[in-house]
Amino acid sequence: MVNFSLVGCGFIAQKHSEAIARIPTARIYAVCDKIQENMKLYQDKHNAIPYEDFDVMLQDEKIDVVNICTPSGTHATLAIKAANAGKHIILEKPMALSEKDARDILNACEKNKVKLAVIHPNRFRPALIELKKLLDKGKFGKISHINATVRWNRNKEYYEQAPWRGTRVMDGGVLMNQAIHNLDLLLWLMGPVGELQAYTATRFRDIECEDVAVAVVTFESGALGVIETATTVYPKNLEESISIFGEKGTAIIRGTHANKFEHLVIEGLSDDETKTIMDIGEKQQEKSGHAWIIEDMIECINNDKQPIIGGQDGLNAVKLVNAITEAAESKRPVISTTNKR
C-alpha cells in the first residue's frame, strides 16, 4: 500500500483524490491545508490524517508520496522541502513559475533520490495517443508545420475567486496557467523548439499577466509552429486544438479540450484504417490522466523506474512559456532551450 498526502485541498485536489480512491494499492493517508475546514471532506470520506502545518506533515514517516495541489507560486518551496524529507512528489502544473525554481526542484529530487512526476494529463487522451503513435512511426513524413490553439474564457468572476489568480508571483497568465498543457503537447509531439517570436497582451481582465498570447516558433527538426492562446473568448470556452501538417498526412484534433479527431488523412492508410483510428479517438478515457500518472508513480516506486512525465518534461514547458514571455517583452526573437537543463 502506497500512502499519499494531498497538500492543498482546493478544487484540483479532488481529481487527485478520485484517482487515488480507485487504485487498490493506494490510499489517501493524510491531507494538509492551512484552512482546517478544507480538510474535513477527506477526513470524513478517507479517514485521512489532517495537518495544518506542512513541515509537521513531512515528519510523518508513513507518507510515501506528496501530491502538491497548491497555487503555482508555492510549488518550488513545498516540493524542495518534500524532496529533502525523502518524499516522492506528484506536482500539479505548472511545475514552477520560473526556470530556476523548476531546476531547483529537479536538483533536490535527484539529490535525495526521490521520484518526481508532473501533472500533464492531456497526453493520455485517446486521440492524442493515436496521433503520437502515427508521428513516432513517421506516417506524416517530413512535418511542414503545427498549430497549437487554446481559445477559452476566464471571466472577471474567475479571477475574483482568489486574490492570487492572475498574479505574477502565484499564478501566471494564460500561457502558464491555462495553455501549459497544450504547450506540453506541442513539445511532446514535435520535440524541442529552436527560435521563436511572440506577442502577449492583457486585453480584458484586470490581472498582472497576459490574457492573450501568440507566437511563431521553429523546431529543431526544421518544422514551423503557430501558438495561439487566450482566455478572452466570449462567452465561454470555444476550443483547444492541435493541427499537424506533413508531406504525407494531415491531422486535426479539436474539441473544447482537444479530445477528438476532426480530420485525419494519411498516405497509404485505407478508409477503414482511418475510421478505426478516429473511432478510438472518440472513445471515453478508461481512466483520467491523473489516474495514469498516479498509477505510474506507484509502479516507479515499486520497480525503481522514472515517471512517464517527469521533471524534465515539466521544466521544458516552463522554459517555453518563459521564452514566449521574454520574446514578447523584448520585442525580439528568442532562442529557446527546451529539452535542456
Side-chain angles (χ1 to χ4, degrees), residues 312-333:
Q312 184 65 53
D313 297 297
L315 173 61
N316 291 344
V318 170
K319 287 169 76 68
L320 179 53
V321 171
N322 286 348
I324 293 171
T325 302
E326 180 186 346
E329 291 179 348
S330 66
K331 294 182 172 53
R332 61 176 177 79

Side-chain angles (χ1 to χ4, degrees), residues 21 31 81 129 203 205 335:
V31 288
K81 282 186 175 183
I129 290 173
R203 296 293 295 166
R205 311 304 173 211
I335 303 296

Side-chain angles (χ1 to χ4, degrees), residues 214-261:
V214 294
V216 179
V217 308
T218 63
F219 294 92
E220 290 187 1
S221 65
L224 305 182
V226 177
I227 296 168
E228 176 197 340
T229 68
T231 51
T232 56
V233 175
Y234 179 84
K236 60 183 180 179
N237 288 0
L238 177 63
E239 69 167 320
E240 177 185 3
S241 65
I242 292 282
S243 304
I244 292 181
F245 305 94
E247 61 181 337
K248 297 181 179 180
T250 298
I252 299 174
I253 291 180
R254 186 167 274 144
T256 309
H257 294 88
N259 55 4
K260 60 184 178 182
F261 281 102

Side-chain angles (χ1 to χ4, degrees), residues 166-229:
T167 63
R168 290 193 180 278
V169 296
M170 280 291 147
D171 189 29
V174 61
L175 288 164
M176 194 68 84
N177 195 344
Q178 285 79 29
I180 192 81
H181 290 315
N182 197 266
L183 298 179
D184 170 71
L185 291 177
L186 188 72
L187 295 171
W188 180 54
L189 294 169
M190 292 297 296
V193 167
E195 186 177 276
L196 62 86
Q197 299 185 58
Y199 293 92
T200 62
T202 308
R203 296 293 295 166
F204 297 164
R205 311 304 173 211
D206 184 20
I207 58 176
E208 294 177 358
C209 301
E210 80 289 340
D211 58 13
V212 59
V214 294
V216 179
V217 308
T218 63
F219 294 92
E220 290 187 1
S221 65
L224 305 182
V226 177
I227 296 168
E228 176 197 340
T229 68

